[in-house]
Amino acid sequence: MEAGMAVETIQREMTVFARRARASAGRLHPELSLVSYTLLGHLEERDGCRATDLAAHYALDKSTVSRQVAALERTGLVERRQDPEDHRVQVLLLTEAGRHILGQVTVSRRAAVGERLADWSQEDLERFAGYLVRYNAWPRSG
Amino acid sequence: MEAGMAVETIQREMTVFARRARASAGRLHPELSLVSYTLLGHLEERDGCRATDLAAHYALDKSTVSRQVAALERTGLVERRQDPEDHRVQVLLLTEAGRHILGQVTVSRRAAVGERLADWSQEDLERFAGYLVRYNAWPRSG
DNA sequence: AGTACTGGTTGCAGAGTACAACTCGCGCGG
DNA sequence: CCGCGCGAGTTGTACTCTGCAACCAGTACT
């Protein structure tokens, strides 16, 4: 395989994945959209953060994040807390309910993804995961 | 790394990629949405196919594909041709203009993606591409 | 012929998104 | 202290993508 070819394959296959993920997310978990899920996931991973951080990480407009967070707060999955240091910022935190839902969805998603990865060797899994992390670690969007 | 952990990382990182891809696609090529781009790409790869095939491959509803294709036809990037064998089906083909645009976008996208992959070894690139293909080859959506 | 199936279009409704304009709070140079 | 710019977040608006359901047209099997 030539280098440009591999790059193109990577880009094409990532996109296929993206489309299918969106589709299956809606079907499997009507209660939690893919966007909401990823936002909650980020909150859990970072143990709380600002709306702006979410926007930056997912290359979303701050207005989009604002609305998503508002919805998540309405359904009681996240909680906002004023930063005592700076009254402009709101620290976003998972509520107990949020943590619970996220756990459930994660389990069933892991099952779905795990099914396709069932016959992969542990070595391949780790290498694949490592490649993805490395790819996304690049600061610029792409 | 434990197996479930790797699976979760894979799923999370793929999603991050998906979100960023969407964002940058809209910014870099206002003339060709990410969806349109992928559809054109598929048409090129397969050298023409039916709308239903596109829907199945990207886990999209046929109505969505129908509309996307209609738009692409309106802008002269694809051409529909009645299948003489079966008058229900329309074979979709890239026009010359479509092939041209696709080429341009592919080049600039490859540049953007290639930048992040610039310092990867050829071996890693190929292995990464191989993993993605293998992942997506699974018949069920996920 | 009649029934079931397939490919595709259209009406509708909802989610996600960006952009622009705005408010509010912080910090800095007069 | 005051005004000015900046950063965080919200709201108004408009648009795209999407799925579902209802539908039409053509095919296939009996």
Side-chain angles (χ1 to χ4, degrees):
Chain A
M1 201 189 298
E2 180 255 330
M5 204 58 212
V7 170
E8 216 160 299
T9 299
I10 289 169
Q11 121 87 30
R12 189 195 302 276
E13 296 296 323
M14 292 281 255
T15 306
V16 169
F17 163 82
R19 305 220 59 75
R20 302 220 262 234
R22 160 189 266 279
S24 76
R27 240 167 252 119
L28 286 177
H29 311 288
E31 77 279 10
L32 197 59
S33 79
L34 182 58
V35 200
S36 308
Y37 174 72
T38 58
L39 296 186
L40 290 186
H42 197 71
L43 285 184
E44 183 178 56
E45 188 189 359
R46 302 296 175 89
D47 207 19
C49 70
R50 303 175 307 162
T52 297
D53 300 333
L54 293 176
H57 190 249
Y58 293 107
L60 289 169
D61 191 81
K62 56 183 180 167
S63 65
T64 300
V65 174
S66 172
R67 278 182 252 264
Q68 292 289 335
V69 168
L72 289 173
E73 190 190 25
R74 236 177 289 122
T75 50
L77 304 183
V78 300
E79 173 192 3
R80 315 192 208 205
R81 200 166 297 169
Q82 282 269 332
D83 182 341
E85 306 280 303
D86 184 339
H87 282 218
R88 291 171 301 182
V89 320
Q90 309 171 349
V91 178
L92 305 174
L93 295 167
L94 277 182
T95 62
E96 205 44 57
R99 214 172 290 276
H100 182 66
I101 293 275
L102 179 63
Q104 289 185 318
V105 175
T106 297
V107 165
S108 68
R109 283 181 72 89
R110 185 195 293 173
V113 175
E115 189 190 355
R116 344 181 73 198
L117 298 171
D119 60 343
W120 289 45
S121 75
Q122 180 64 20
E123 189 191 2
D124 280 342
L125 281 180
E126 288 179 11
R127 204 140 52 183
F128 189 27
Y131 285 152
L132 286 166
V133 170
R134 183 175 169 194
Y135 181 89
N136 283 330
W138 191 266
R140 282 333 231 133
S141 67
Chain B
M1 199 188 304
E2 181 255 327
M5 205 56 212
V7 168
E8 214 160 300
T9 300
I10 288 168
Q11 120 85 30
R12 190 194 301 275
E13 295 297 322
M14 292 281 256
T15 305
V16 170
F17 163 82
R19 306 222 56 77
R20 302 219 262 233
R22 159 188 266 278
S24 76
R27 242 167 252 119
L28 285 176
H29 312 287
E31 78 278 10
L32 198 60
S33 79
L34 182 59
V35 200
S36 307
Y37 173 73
T38 58
L39 296 186
L40 291 186
H42 197 71
L43 285 184
E44 184 179 56
E45 188 189 0
R46 302 296 173 89
D47 207 19
C49 71
R50 303 175 306 164
T52 297
D53 300 333
L54 293 175
H57 190 248
Y58 292 107
L60 288 170
D61 191 82
K62 56 184 182 169
S63 66
T64 301
V65 174
S66 172
R67 280 182 252 263
Q68 293 289 337
V69 168
L72 289 174
E73 189 189 26
R74 236 178 288 121
T75 50
L77 303 183
V78 300
E79 172 191 3
R80 315 193 207 202
R81 199 166 296 170
Q82 282 271 331
D83 182 340
E85 307 277 306
D86 184 338
H87 283 216
R88 289 171 302 183
V89 322
Q90 307 171 348
V91 178
L92 305 174
L93 295 167
L94 278 182
T95 62
E96 205 44 55
R99 214 173 289 277
H100 182 66
I101 293 275
L102 179 62
Q104 289 185 319
V105 176
T106 297
V107 164
S108 68
R109 283 181 73 88
R110 185 194 293 172
V113 175
E115 189 190 353
R116 343 181 74 196
L117 298 171
D119 59 344
W120 290 45
S121 75
Q122 180 64 23
E123 189 191 1
D124 281 342
L125 281 179
E126 290 180 9
R127 205 143 50 186
F128 189 28
Y131 285 150
L132 286 166
V133 170
R134 182 176 171 194
Y135 181 90
N136 283 330
W138 191 266
R140 284 331 233 136
S141 68

